[in-house]
């Protein structure tokens, strides 16, 4: 185990400079007619002032120990004795990752992380199901929008409203709940253009969605937005297969050790190098809604159910919703 850890550390260190300096340039806007400004996005941008964005609270307070953990979780959810935990660092982010902002039923600002994935409509964001589940079907948007590469109160590409009936979470997740349905803890949001009329992928670029890619990946770049922080976090680590030992949260998940991923980081992407940029193989969410400690995170495995949900979102199929 010591030798394996040393090899992984060395491999990660060698790849770090390449991966952390690489990026996917935003795609050029499609040729043709100039975009039409979107007044809904302008109004949303006026609502989400820097002060409101900074004050927004994480929606996933159950995902990390310092912000409230499940009291019934098995003791093995977290670092193993002597396990090397790669450090994280704050940075200005990448265009393809960002954060959602919305207001809850009480009017309190909330956040969760997400990433732009390639899609035919150039308008799709990937996140965790437990971040998005309150907005499927005809649920009110409540100022729901996505900000790519948010940092320091800035919205470098503007804010992209989420369409009415534009949130896609698996029916299995609604029917089973966030713990029994942990293996389905992923979701997609279809966005409208920003205030300048640009589509999300045209403005910020996108990452490739990978399904059925296996559980072991190295190196993996994980990005997430801690609630209330001015900058996102990034960390280089590796993923391994984790079979749940908790009957309340059944399934098989990707497991990754990275320090400092507290509330707000749910939905953040786990990225691997891909021709021309990045591909996403998981998001923070699933087993114990992403993990009970800031040192270890999990992702629901991306398989047939993920592909089916992506197809539904990209073809405009009616979204699922809670049972009536």
């Amino acid at each position: 185990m010591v030798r394996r850890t040393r090899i992984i550390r060395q491999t990660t260190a060698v790849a770090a400079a390449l991966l952390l300096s690489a990026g996917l340039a935003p795609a050029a806007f499609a040729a043709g007619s100039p975009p039409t400004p979107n007044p809904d996005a302008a109004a949303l941008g006026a609502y989400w002032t820097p002060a409101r964005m900074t004050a927004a609270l994480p929606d996933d307070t159950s995902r990390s120990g310092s912000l409230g953990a499940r009291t019934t979780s098995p003791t093995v959810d977290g670092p193993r004795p002597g396990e090397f935990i790669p450090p994280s660092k704050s940075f200005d982010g990448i265009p393809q990752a960002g954060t959602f902002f919305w207001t809850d039923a009480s009017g309190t600002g909330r956040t969760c992380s997400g990433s732009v994935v390639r899609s035919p409509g150039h308008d799709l964001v990937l996140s965790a199901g437990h971040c998005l589940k309150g907005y499927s079907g005809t649920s009110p948007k409540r100022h729901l929008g996505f900000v790519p590469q948010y940092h320091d109160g800035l919205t470098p590409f503007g804010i992209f409203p989420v369409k009415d009936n534009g949130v896609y979470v698996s029916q299995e997740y609604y029917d089973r709940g966030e713990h029994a349905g942990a293996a389905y803890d992923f979701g997609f949001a279809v966005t409208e253009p920003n205030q300048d009329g640009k589509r999300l992928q045209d403005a910020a670029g996108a990452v490739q969605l990978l399904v059925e890619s296996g559980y072991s990946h190295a190196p993996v770049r994980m990005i997430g937005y801690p609630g209330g922080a001015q900058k996102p976090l990034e960390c280089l680590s590796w993923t391994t297969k984790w079979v749940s030992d908790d009957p309340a949260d059944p399934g098989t998940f990707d497991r990754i050790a990275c320090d400092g991923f507290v509330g707000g980081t749910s939905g953040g992407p786990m990225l691997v190098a891909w021709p021309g940029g990045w591909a996403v193989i998981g998001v923070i969410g699933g087993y114990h809604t992403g993990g009970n400690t800031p040192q270890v995170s999990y992702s629901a495995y991306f398989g047939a159910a993920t592909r089916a949900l992506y197809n539904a979102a990209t073809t405009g199929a009616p979204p699922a919703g809670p049972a009536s």
Side-chain angles (χ1 to χ4, degrees):
M1 179 61 70
V2 173
R3 183 175 181 272
R4 178 178 178 273
T5 301
R6 185 179 300 116
I7 291 172
I8 292 175
R9 288 183 183 177
Q10 293 171 344
T11 302
T12 302
V14 169
L18 173 62
L19 290 182
L20 292 181
S21 63
L24 181 60
F29 190 70
S33 302
T36 302
N38 183 358
D40 291 340
L44 196 61
Y47 178 83
W48 285 112
T49 62
R52 279 188 170 134
M53 290 188 290
T54 299
L57 302 174
D59 187 57
D60 54 344
T61 54
S62 63
R63 89 133 245 112
S64 56
S66 62
L67 296 177
R70 290 181 64 208
T71 58
T72 58
S73 64
T75 57
V76 293
D77 180 0
R80 302 183 181 106
E83 180 177 12
F84 171 64
I85 307 297
S88 61
K89 68 173 184 178
S90 63
F91 74 127
D92 286 346
I94 63 173
Q96 300 80 32
T99 184
F100 287 96
F101 289 100
W102 71 93
T103 53
D104 63 18
S106 69
T108 302
R110 297 289 181 178
T111 66
C112 243
S113 302
S115 57
V116 187
V117 293
R118 294 175 185 169
S119 67
H122 289 203
D123 55 6
L124 201 62
V125 184
L126 168 68
S127 188
H130 70 269
C131 290
L132 298 174
K133 66 179 181 179
Y135 293 91
S136 286
T138 57
S139 295
K141 289 193 295 184
R142 295 198 300 258
H143 306 109
L144 176 61
F146 180 74
V147 180
Q149 203 176 3
Y150 168 78
H151 67 92
D152 300 299
L154 303 176
T155 59
F157 300 96
I159 187 167
F160 295 79
V162 174
K163 289 184 177 180
D164 289 322
N165 295 310
V167 170
Y168 289 80
V169 176
S170 293
Q171 189 65 57
E172 291 87 346
Y173 195 67
Y174 288 112
D175 294 345
R176 302 183 189 188
E178 67 179 19
H179 294 295
Y184 300 91
D185 193 359
F186 43 77
F188 297 96
V190 183
T191 62
E192 297 177 4
N194 66 5
Q195 63 271 26
D196 297 325
K198 287 190 176 182
R199 296 177 296 178
L200 177 58
Q201 184 174 327
D202 297 325
V207 301
Q208 180 67 39
L209 175 68
L210 292 187
V211 297
E212 304 289 2
S213 63
Y215 295 89
S216 298
H217 297 274
V220 174
R221 183 186 192 185
M222 189 162 70
I223 298 174
Y225 280 77
Q230 289 296 297
K231 298 178 184 290
L233 293 176
E234 67 174 348
C235 173
L236 277 177
S237 189
W238 57 94
T239 57
T240 56
K241 186 176 183 178
W242 175 262
V243 180
S244 172
D245 66 325
D246 185 354
D249 288 63
T252 305
F253 305 89
D254 296 289
R255 179 188 189 272
I256 183 170
C258 269
D259 196 20
F261 279 74
V262 296
T265 59
S266 279
M270 301 175 187
L271 303 172
V272 295
W274 190 254
W278 303 98
V280 57
I281 53 92
V283 297
I284 300 173
Y287 182 65
H288 297 168
T289 59
N292 276 335
T293 73
Q295 293 82 29
V296 177
S297 300
Y298 302 86
S299 171
Y301 182 67
F302 287 179
T306 316
R307 182 185 292 109
L309 192 64
Y310 174 87
N311 290 339
T314 55
T315 58
S324 58

